[in-house]
Amino acid sequence: MAEQASTERFLVFIERLGRIIELASGGVCVVFCAAMFAVTILGVFFRYVMTSPFEWTEEMARFLMLGLGFLAINIAVRRDEHIKIDFLLGYLPPVVAGFLAWLVDALIAFFLIYLTVKGWSMATRTMMTAGTVELSMFWPYLTVPLGAFLSLVQLVLRALGRAVGGLARAGA
């Protein structure tokens, strides 16, 4: 009985931690999306209406889109809504389908680890600044390892939840 209660507390903890990460990164994504929209509208307005374009709007919108894309990956990973071809899984025995799901998650984890390490190296070694915006390229580059790391955390939390939940169901 105590073991089942601790298992349930662990599953609740995993769910809450994943939700907190999702909400935080989702909030940043909303801000980035709104800023990207505002900067793009501003750029279009000044280019075509005022005929005096700002030079920085295109570059800033690109950086915001980069950040939005990489930070949103973890939300798709948490919800298991990333791009995949799963029509074959319905035709396979459950054991094989489960094994393939774990194999795909392991491959994704290896890629995310690689992306985190290489992205961090790229961000910390850059000495460049953006062309029109006086911004160190460290900040746009930082979204790559940050997004990959948060996605890796969400992937591990999802795998732990499946494993602990499966063990709890098997023991019940």
Side-chain angles (χ1 to χ4, degrees), residues 88-145:
L88 290 177
L89 293 179
Y91 298 109
L92 297 174
V95 173
V96 175
F99 173 75
L100 285 178
W102 282 99
L103 180 64
V104 167
D105 283 351
L107 292 173
I108 292 171
F110 285 127
F111 174 73
L112 290 173
I113 290 168
Y114 180 80
L115 192 59
T116 301
V117 170
K118 292 299 183 179
W120 180 253
S121 175
M122 179 182 66
T124 57
R125 291 182 181 180
T126 188
M127 296 172 67
M128 295 182 348
T129 56
T132 59
V133 182
E134 287 299 318
L135 177 71
S136 169
M137 289 303 290
F138 169 79
W139 298 108
Y141 288 170
L142 183 63
T143 60
V144 174

Side-chain angles (χ1 to χ4, degrees), residues 37-48 52-54 57-58:
F37 178 77
V39 165
T40 303
I41 293 297
L42 186 72
V44 168
F45 177 77
F46 274 88
R47 176 176 300 273
Y48 294 107
S52 178
F54 289 131
T57 55
E58 179 189 346

